[in-house]
Amino acid sequence: MWRCWEWALLWLGVGSLLALKVNKHKPWIETSYHGVITENNDTVILDPPLVALDKDAPVPYAGEICAFKIHGQEMPFEAVVLNKTSGEGRLRARSPIDCELQKEYTFIIQAYDCGAGPSGTNWKKSHKAVVHIQVKDVNEFAPTFKERSYKATVTEGKIYDSVLQVEAMDEDCSPQYSQICNYEIVTTNVPFAIDRNGNIRNTEKLSYDKQHLYEVMVTAFDCGQKRATEDVLVRVEVKPVCKPGWQDWNKRIEYKPGSGSIPLFPSIHLETCDGPVSSIQTTIELQTNYIGKGCDRETYSEKSLQKLCGASSGVIDLLPTPSAATNWTAGLLIDSNDMIFKFDGKQGAKIPDGIVPKNLTDQFTITMWMKHGPSPGLRAEKETILCNSDKTEMNRHHYALYVHNCRLVFLLRKDFDQADTFRPAEFHWKLDQICDKEWHYYIVNIEFPVVTLYMDGTTYEPYLVTNDWPIHPSHIAMQLTVGACWQGGEVTKPRFAQYFHGSLASLTIRPGKIESQKVISCLQACKEGLDINSLESLGQGIKYHFNPSQSVLVIEGDDIENINQALRKVSYINSRQFPTSGIRRLKVSSRVQCFGEDVCISIPDIDAYVMVFQAKEPKITISGMDHFARPASEFEHEKGVTLLPDIRIVSTVTKMEHPPDLKETMDRVHKPVLLEEMHHNLDFCDILVIGDELNPKQECLELDRKELQGKHLDATNSTAGYSIYGVDTMKNYEQVLQHVHYRNWHTSSFFDRKFRIKCSELNGRYTSNEFNLEVNILHSSNTNIMEYVNHMVIQPQFIQSIHHPEESINNIHGSALPSVATIVIVTCVSILVFIIVLGIYRIRTAFHHGTKENESSKENEMDWDDSALTITVNPMEKHEEPRNVEEDSEEEEEELEDEEEDTTSAESDESDEEEEEETIGNKESKRNVIRQDQLEWDDSTLPY
């Protein structure tokens, strides 16, 4: 029998034999590993992954991996087993890794299995594998500059490749984050630039006069785009040197309207710093493209301008000022100061029928101001300026002017009855100015089949002419439009199409005639520009050249002093009496040549400006006789009655007193001290009918056209009044207005007419007062006299005067027919007044001779029975007495007031009329003189 210990030894021996037999393979791992760990992180990413394999698997313990061991001196890493069965492991850092301390690590690693059992005995280890780990840098450090500040000194007038170099560094370990990739100037609007290496250079020549010292802040960026914690200050000091250039000139030149020609640079001279100058060319440019339509031009209406320039009559304004007669432009966007119409691609205007004749003939002219930019969109559509197309049913364009892809195109389709073959139909012009967003003046002269374009006075022939068949005749009406084309057919609902984008002004058409070159030059001429005073005094060897608009002047010469004198004579001139106020920019550029020198001095440009002051605003006043009466026979005469025989048009300006102390000027209000008469032109005067329009069957306003000869005036007549237009003097306007007659060949139903006269300068920029004129028609027969008396005495104001005397005075010149309710009163008062007239007539025949002579002069003018003068126009009304009547004394005025009270009582009480008749007759003779004066309206007593 075996003892216990013998059995134990036997079991151990058998177990050992069995264990050796089970764990017979050692683990296997790769021979080398490459790993990456991010700075300040603990995870190592290995390639290939850390995995150990054992061929004893799946035997427990023997086929499992229990550990990874690292061999190396104090390596900050450890390896852990994630899964014993699969052998997967992980390498991680035991403490934070700092790239700045060590960028990479290399060590040995081995894998261990779990041995034969739970105790881990008889474990086996793998071969040794090399692990190489790189530390990935984190951009944790910002760049810092080596210097706290930098300083450099440069000489003015030079361009430096490098003024100085700044340098920054970064403490990160990797090249990506430790290198400086970019420098940047933080300070804005400085004439410096910096490159990637930190070299600072000036981008323009520095001026000591402009700035002595520049302080520039600079920052740096590493290649990870991390910015420096602190920017560095760079000071650049500018040293003065002799500076070539123009000296002794003023940046601001002031121009007062009416100053004529003023020198721009009266003391200027050129400093060359002893440079070897052989010749110089100086260009003076007056920049006015932002003023009005490119420069200061007359702002009269297109009709008035064309009349002033001698253009043929018959021009039709297609974009007139909106009014009751020209309301088709009322819905358009408009700048009323310069009569500019802005089209935003959504608007169009229909020209009413009858404004433009249907047959323009083979000769006609289209004129316009246009400002246009590039067309929106990739495929630009046609932008219609002017179009005449079918109103309904079809969509034929008979003639049109449009812009397409920065080309100006004129279309003209002839009718079939005029030509039955191919004829020129489309004329194309390709000009840069069409889309440069600047104002240009265009005139299209059509002398079919030749069409010529004038732009800013220069002639351009079409680069392309295409032919087309004539249009077949039809009875379809046509529609003329501006800003778009009317599409009347081929659509469900007629509408506008091909809208225009831009600005238009002074769009006109003149059928039957074309413009001459002289008229074209006048229409687009600028009223401001450059000039040279005393051309004959220019030095020898001086050459000069103006552009057509005199906005650019080029002066050349080889003597510096002669150039100086020539430039001192350059002046600015504005011939407008009321110029557009504001700034006109000036630029003077110079080009210098030196004797045999590769490098020559450079002359900086002059940037100055002319400040044009606002002109004094004139006050235009119309005065004259504003109320008169004439017998009906004069109105029925073939010449009628002169409306404004003594009209006077005067313009005045207010002079201001300026205190000598400028500080007081700011605190005190300027007080007018003097009215000074000013002479200037007018561009229209209108005589408007107040109340019902004229009935052409029985009345009219007339003017002998001979009165317009020799003047820049024309006139139009309508039932609303008479309009005289054209740019001419106030004196000529007075002469024409004084010959306007009013005729009425059926006066039986008329008692008065009222007119309003108003004049304008600069197309309504300055307007006169509204001068009102009342004309009374006096009927000569007794019946007509009584009708006139009834009309004058019995009217709504008579009733109102009883309760509202003030209103009666204010409305004394109003006229209205009596209502039906007052017929009875009319009859009674008429009988009463007739009896009074007869009584006064008997008394007047026996009155003293002196009074008769005064009355006889009035009888010749009035041409009616002077007894009618004793009739009170309105007994309750208070007529304004003349201011200076030498014949009347204060006593007579008191008697007149007493007599008026007696007259009122007589009219209100018939029983007392016979007793008072003689008293009234004696006093009425004195009143006749005053009444006659009031009816004749002696203009010497009228306030102006």
Side-chain angles (χ1 to χ4, degrees):
M1 179 174 289
W2 292 77
R3 295 183 178 90
C4 291
W5 60 272
E6 291 176 343
W7 283 105
L9 291 175
L10 179 62
W11 176 251
L12 290 172
V14 172
S16 299
L17 291 174
L18 290 173
L20 291 173
K21 185 176 181 180
V22 172
N23 190 15
K24 59 182 179 180
H25 298 99
K26 57 183 180 180
W28 179 89
I29 59 176
E30 299 287 347
T31 58
S32 63
Y33 294 89
H34 293 277
V36 176
I37 184 172
T38 302
E39 190 177 17
N40 300 325
N41 201 344
D42 64 348
T43 302
V44 180
I45 300 175
L46 286 178
D47 184 25
L50 182 60
V51 177
L53 303 177
D54 197 317
K55 291 184 178 181
D56 293 325
V59 177
Y61 303 110
E64 296 176 348
I65 304 301
C66 276
F68 293 97
K69 292 186 178 180
I70 295 174
H71 304 282
Q73 295 182 354
E74 298 180 356
M75 289 293 144
F77 298 98
E78 63 179 0
V80 296
V81 177
L82 300 179
N83 192 319
K84 293 181 178 182
T85 302
S86 63
E88 182 181 357
R90 176 183 293 172
L91 187 64
R92 64 188 181 189
R94 289 188 284 109
S95 60
I97 304 299
D98 191 348
C99 179
E100 285 71 37
L101 296 177
Q102 189 169 341
K103 298 181 180 180
E104 57 185 23
Y105 295 87
T106 302
F107 52 84
I108 302 298
I109 192 171
Q110 285 182 299
Y112 292 78
D113 61 18
C114 294
S119 61
T121 57
N122 297 322
W123 46 264
K124 294 184 181 295
K125 60 182 178 181
S126 68
H127 59 273
K128 294 180 179 179
V130 179
V131 179
H132 182 75
I133 296 177
Q134 280 188 317
V135 181
K136 185 178 180 181
D137 189 20
V138 174
N139 194 8
E140 56 186 333
F141 293 99
T144 58
F145 287 93
K146 291 185 177 181
E147 303 290 340
R148 294 179 62 87
S149 64
Y150 294 84
K151 185 177 181 180
T153 302
V154 297
T155 303
E156 66 173 346
K158 293 183 179 180
I159 296 292
Y160 290 83
D161 294 331
S162 177
V163 174
L164 79 161
Q165 184 181 23
V166 297
E167 187 177 358
M169 55 185 181
D170 196 309
E171 295 181 0
D172 287 309
C173 66
S174 64
Q176 178 182 3
Y177 299 136
S178 65
Q179 293 183 359
I180 306 300
C181 282
N182 190 26
Y183 293 90
E184 185 176 302
I185 294 177
V186 179
T187 308
T188 58
N189 299 325
V190 290
F192 297 98
I194 191 170
D195 61 16
R196 300 183 63 180
N197 296 322
N199 292 305
I200 297 177
R201 61 181 179 86
N202 56 322
T203 56
E204 63 184 48
K205 294 179 180 180
L206 305 180
S207 169
Y208 176 82
D209 295 334
K210 183 178 180 181
Q211 193 165 340
H212 299 348
L213 178 66
Y214 290 90
E215 292 186 346
V216 181
M217 300 300 296
V218 177
T219 191
F221 296 87
D222 60 21
C223 295
Q225 294 303 307
K226 196 175 187 69
R227 181 173 173 167
T229 53
E230 293 184 2
D231 301 335
V232 70
L233 175 63
V234 179
R235 291 186 175 90
V236 180
E237 184 180 354
V238 181
K239 292 173 56 178
V241 295
C242 179
K243 179 182 178 181
W246 298 102
Q247 297 183 2
D248 295 338
W249 54 274
N250 294 323
K251 187 176 183 67
R252 174 187 171 106
I253 302 101
E254 296 181 350
Y255 184 86
K256 296 181 180 179
S259 300
S261 178
I262 63 168
L264 296 173
F265 311 107
S267 304
I268 197 169
H269 71 277
L270 179 64
E271 177 61 63
T272 61
C273 298
D274 298 328
V277 177
S278 61
S279 66
I280 181 171
Q281 181 187 80
T282 301
T283 302
I284 305 99
E285 181 182 0
L286 180 67
Q287 299 174 349
T288 59
N289 53 353
Y290 51 89
I291 300 294
K293 304 184 189 74
C295 70
D296 207 1
R297 294 182 169 92
E298 294 292 6
T299 55
Y300 294 115
S301 66
E302 188 66 16
K303 275 187 176 182
S304 298
L305 275 178
Q306 296 199 3
K307 185 73 175 177
L308 184 65
C309 290
S312 51
S313 59
V315 62
I316 302 171
D317 193 355
L318 300 181
L319 287 177
T321 304
S323 65
T326 57
N327 58 358
W328 65 85
T329 58
L332 301 178
L333 299 175
I334 183 173
D335 182 352
S336 58
N337 291 333
D338 296 309
M339 288 306 301
I340 295 171
F341 293 84
K342 299 179 180 180
F343 295 86
D344 56 2
K346 300 177 182 178
Q347 294 176 316
K350 293 182 180 180
I351 309 299
D353 296 339
I355 300 297
V356 178
K358 295 182 179 180
N359 183 16
L360 296 177
T361 73
D362 287 341
Q363 287 188 348
F364 60 96
T365 301
I366 299 174
T367 67
M368 66 176 177
W369 284 97
M370 181 178 74
K371 182 168 73 171
H372 181 266
S375 303
L378 297 177
R379 295 184 61 187
E381 295 185 354
K382 295 178 180 179
E383 298 180 55
T384 301
I385 300 168
L386 179 67
C387 180
N388 190 31
S389 58
D390 290 331
K391 185 177 291 187
T392 57
E393 300 182 28
M394 302 181 71
N395 190 31
R396 300 175 302 174
H397 295 186
H398 298 265
Y399 63 87
L401 183 65
Y402 60 88
V403 175
H404 189 211
N405 289 327
C406 293
R407 292 168 174 81
L408 186 66
V409 183
F410 175 69
L411 168 70
L412 179 62
R413 299 284 302 279
K414 305 296 288 186
D415 293 338
F416 190 82
D417 55 356
Q418 295 177 349
D420 55 358
T421 60
F422 259 21
R423 301 292 297 273
E426 283 190 354
F427 304 82
H428 300 250
W429 294 272
K430 184 179 181 181
L431 304 172
D432 295 336
Q433 292 88 336
I434 294 174
C435 289
D436 66 356
K437 297 183 180 180
E438 301 289 346
W439 281 106
H440 299 284
Y441 190 58
Y442 299 83
I443 294 182
V444 183
N445 266 355
I446 297 95
E447 196 170 12
F448 195 80
V450 178
V451 178
T452 305
L453 172 68
Y454 295 89
M455 190 197 68
D456 296 337
T458 305
T459 307
Y460 296 92
E461 298 295 334
Y463 81 95
L464 174 65
V465 178
T466 59
N467 297 335
D468 204 345
W469 289 105
I471 292 180
H472 289 275
S474 68
H475 298 288
I476 301 175
M478 292 179 289
Q479 178 63 63
L480 182 61
T481 56
V482 174
C485 198
W486 184 253
Q487 189 172 357
E490 302 177 2
V491 290
T492 56
K493 183 179 179 181
R495 57 182 175 84
F496 281 117
Q498 301 174 2
Y499 289 97
F500 180 72
H501 298 77
S503 298
L504 297 174
S506 303
L507 176 60
T508 68
I509 189 167
R510 177 182 284 102
K513 293 183 181 179
I514 61 175
E515 292 296 359
S516 65
Q517 184 67 47
K518 181 180 178 181
V519 171
I520 292 172
S521 300
C522 174
L523 290 174
Q524 60 91 37
C526 289
K527 294 299 181 180
E528 64 178 341
L530 300 173
D531 194 14
I532 296 180
N533 294 328
S534 304
L535 289 174
E536 63 278 359
S537 63
L538 290 178
Q540 295 182 352
I542 297 296
K543 300 178 181 178
Y544 68 92
H545 172 71
F546 285 101
N547 69 335
S549 62
Q550 289 195 215
S551 61
V552 178
L553 170 62
V554 180
I555 299 176
E556 298 181 58
D558 52 10
D559 184 80
I560 300 298
E561 186 55 34
N562 287 341
I563 289 289
N564 290 338
Q565 293 182 5
L567 201 56
R568 292 170 191 156
K569 297 179 182 298
V570 177
S571 60
Y572 169 80
I573 186 171
N574 194 318
S575 59
R576 292 191 65 193
Q577 191 171 11
F578 305 101
T580 303
S581 60
I583 289 176
R584 314 293 197 270
R585 302 194 183 280
L586 279 170
K587 184 175 182 180
V588 181
S589 57
S590 304
R591 188 175 61 184
V592 178
Q593 291 184 352
C594 297
F595 293 101
E597 296 288 336
D598 295 335
V599 179
C600 196
I601 63 173
S602 177
I603 307 298
D605 295 344
I606 290 178
D607 289 316
Y609 64 92
V610 178
M611 172 56 73
V612 179
F613 290 149
Q614 179 73 42
K616 294 180 180 179
E617 184 170 343
K619 181 180 180 181
I620 306 172
T621 305
I622 303 176
S623 61
M625 183 170 58
D626 61 356
H627 185 190
F628 68 87
R630 293 289 184 272
S633 59
E634 292 189 16
F635 291 94
E636 296 173 354
H637 193 272
E638 61 179 7
K639 290 185 177 181
V641 173
T642 303
L643 280 183
L644 305 163
D646 60 347
I647 189 171
R648 180 91 189 280
I649 305 175
V650 177
S651 181
T652 56
V653 292
T654 303
K655 280 193 172 184
M656 309 299 290
E657 180 183 4
H658 297 275
D661 189 357
L662 293 179
K663 293 183 179 179
E664 293 181 6
T665 305
M666 301 299 293
D667 300 332
R668 291 176 55 185
V669 178
H670 293 182
K671 297 181 180 180
V673 295
L674 181 64
L675 284 178
E676 182 182 15
E677 185 173 354
M678 170 183 273
H679 297 280
H680 59 77
N681 292 329
L682 300 176
D683 58 355
F684 72 80
C685 283
D686 290 338
I687 303 175
L688 303 176
V689 179
I690 301 177
D692 297 337
E693 293 189 356
L694 298 176
N695 185 353
K697 295 181 179 180
Q698 63 185 48
E699 57 180 337
C700 68
L701 289 172
E702 293 180 338
L703 174 67
D704 191 348
R705 304 293 293 189
K706 293 180 180 179
E707 300 298 332
L708 302 175
Q709 294 179 0
K711 303 179 180 68
H712 297 292
L713 297 178
D714 206 342
T716 57
N717 195 1
S718 68
T719 58
Y722 211 94
S723 179
I724 303 167
Y725 63 90
V727 182
D728 214 327
T729 64
M730 290 184 286
K731 190 66 176 177
N732 284 345
Y733 267 94
E734 285 182 1
Q735 293 176 359
V736 173
L737 288 171
Q738 288 170 0
H739 289 84
V740 176
H741 294 78
Y742 170 64
R743 285 185 60 206
N744 191 321
W745 48 94
H746 293 293
T747 59
S748 57
S749 60
F750 280 87
F751 295 96
D752 61 10
R753 263 298 185 185
K754 295 182 180 180
F755 302 92
R756 178 173 296 152
I757 298 88
K758 187 175 182 179
C759 296
S760 158
E761 164 67 335
L762 295 177
N763 202 22
R765 179 177 173 185
Y766 305 114
T767 57
S768 70
N769 63 312
E770 293 183 349
F771 179 76
N772 294 324
L773 171 65
E774 181 178 357
V775 178
N776 296 124
I777 302 175
L778 307 179
H779 302 277
S780 58
S781 65
N782 290 338
T783 303
N784 289 340
I785 288 178
M786 294 313 303
E787 290 177 357
Y788 169 72
V789 171
N790 294 338
H791 175 73
M792 294 298 293
V793 175
I794 306 303
Q795 51 181 320
Q797 286 85 346
F798 179 81
I799 304 300
Q800 294 172 2
S801 65
I802 299 175
H803 304 286
H804 306 285
E806 293 182 358
E807 293 182 11
S808 176
I809 293 174
N810 294 333
N811 300 326
I812 192 169
H813 296 303
S815 63
L817 292 176
S819 62
V820 177
T822 62
I823 293 177
V824 176
I825 300 176
V826 170
T827 305
C828 295
V829 176
S830 299
I831 297 173
L832 170 64
V833 173
F834 179 73
I835 296 173
I836 294 173
V837 170
L838 292 178
I840 293 174
Y841 178 77
R842 295 192 188 100
I843 296 172
R844 294 284 295 177
T845 55
F847 209 72
H848 56 82
H849 181 70
T851 305
K852 290 182 179 180
E853 290 179 350
N854 292 334
E855 291 173 350
S856 62
S857 61
K858 300 301 180 180
E859 289 172 0
N860 294 332
E861 292 179 5
M862 300 300 294
D863 195 22
W864 62 303
D865 189 2
D866 60 343
S867 62
L869 289 175
T870 63
I871 299 171
T872 303
V873 174
N874 191 333
M876 299 302 296
E877 292 179 351
K878 296 181 181 179
H879 290 273
E880 181 181 355
E881 296 295 331
R883 294 186 179 180
N884 297 313
V885 182
E886 297 179 356
E887 296 80 8
D888 296 338
S889 64
E890 294 180 358
E891 182 179 355
E892 291 174 335
E893 292 176 357
E894 293 175 359
E895 291 179 357
L896 180 60
E897 292 176 358
D898 296 337
E899 178 272 332
E900 288 177 342
E901 294 177 0
D902 294 340
T903 303
T904 306
S905 301
E907 291 177 350
S908 61
D909 189 1
E910 294 184 7
S911 62
D912 298 333
E913 66 174 303
E914 293 181 357
E915 296 177 0
E916 297 177 355
E917 180 178 345
E918 183 176 355
T919 303
I920 295 175
N922 292 333
K923 296 181 179 179
E924 190 70 10
S925 61
K926 299 179 181 178
R927 189 162 64 104
N928 286 340
V929 178
I930 298 174
R931 289 301 185 192
Q932 287 177 347
D933 290 342
Q934 290 178 340
L935 289 173
E936 292 298 327
W937 288 89
D938 184 5
D939 58 356
S940 65
T941 66
L942 290 176
Y944 291 110

